[in-house]
Amino acid sequence: MNFMQRIKGALIGLVMVIAGIIFFLNPTQSYPFITAILSLGLLFRGFQLLFFYFRMARFMVDGRSMLYQSIIMIDLGLFTGSLTQVPLVYVMLYLIAINLFSGGVDILRAMEAKKYGSSWKMTFFSGLISVLMAVACLIFIKATKWAVMIYALGVIYSGIMRIAQSFRKTKMVYIQ
């Protein structure tokens, strides 16, 4: 990670922390903004992956997986954008599924990293936090205010982790 990537990561993390604090302090009015941000973010990432597929990935081995990922991201973005008109229980189930999946993947990645002797504690802790957020969503499944507050805490945590990762020392492998 070069200097500009570190600065970019730290600034994005800072914006995430500020947005999370605003969402946490104002949970009743933040719900439409959160769904719009999630929807636009997923759509942007889906179109970014689609552009990458047509520019490079179609010539790569297993490049078609980028096409599938882009289609899934675009579908999730459109689905998330339509969640403003549905009951909150569906939104909470959506949050539970995403947090459980990402937390499970992080925990499995940490176990694999531990097996190979690599750094694993930060990844494991991140996965554990995601699973705990999913449990909190399950407990407060019918409260909009709590859903927004849980999501805001997740955004704050993700921003802090992004800032920490941007200042973390990384090893460079040089091939001579």
Side-chain angles (χ1 to χ4, degrees):
M1 189 180 292
N2 64 25
F3 182 73
M4 288 306 291
Q5 288 173 333
R6 289 179 192 273
I7 296 296
K8 180 182 170 188
L11 287 176
I12 290 172
L14 186 63
V15 168
M16 288 174 70
V17 169
I18 292 170
I21 290 171
I22 291 170
F23 293 154
F24 189 82
L25 294 177
N26 212 359
T28 54
Q29 288 86 20
S30 298
Y31 180 69
F33 293 112
I34 289 173
T35 55
I37 289 170
L38 280 174
S39 177
L40 290 175
L42 287 168
L43 283 171
F44 177 75
R45 182 67 178 149
F47 285 119
Q48 189 179 33
L49 287 173
L50 190 64
F51 181 73
F52 177 70
Y53 170 75
F54 283 117
R55 294 279 299 178
M56 289 185 68
R58 65 182 173 160
F59 303 114
M60 297 169 26
V61 174
D62 199 29
R64 195 173 294 161
S65 68
M66 287 293 159
L67 177 65
Y68 299 145
Q69 287 178 19
S70 69
I71 291 170
I72 290 171
M73 288 287 189
I74 291 170
D75 285 345
L76 281 174
L78 293 172
F79 175 71
T80 304
S82 69
L83 287 179
T84 57
Q85 306 301 325
V86 298
L88 180 71
V89 175
Y90 296 118
V91 176
M92 291 298 277
L93 290 173
Y94 184 62
L95 273 174
I96 289 169
I98 286 180
N99 281 321
L100 272 178
F101 180 75
S102 68
V105 167
D106 281 348
I107 289 172
L108 290 174
R109 282 180 44 218
M111 293 300 189
E112 185 178 7
K114 183 179 179 184
K115 185 170 75 173
Y116 291 118
S118 183
S119 61
W120 60 276
K121 292 177 185 172
M122 191 175 220
T123 308
F124 181 79
F125 187 67
S126 175
L128 189 63
I129 293 294
S130 292
V131 170
L132 290 175
M133 283 179 51
V135 170
C137 286
L138 192 59
I139 292 170
F140 300 110
I141 197 160
K142 294 197 179 205
T144 307
K145 179 181 171 184
W146 283 101
V148 171
M149 291 172 78
I150 290 168
Y151 178 76
L153 288 174
V155 169
I156 292 169
Y157 174 73
S158 295
I160 290 170
M161 292 302 287
R162 187 177 283 249
I163 292 170
Q165 290 228 318
S166 66
F167 290 114
R168 191 174 179 198
K169 293 211 183 272
T170 56
K171 295 180 182 176
M172 289 283 230
V173 177
Y174 293 102
I175 300 173
Q176 295 184 11

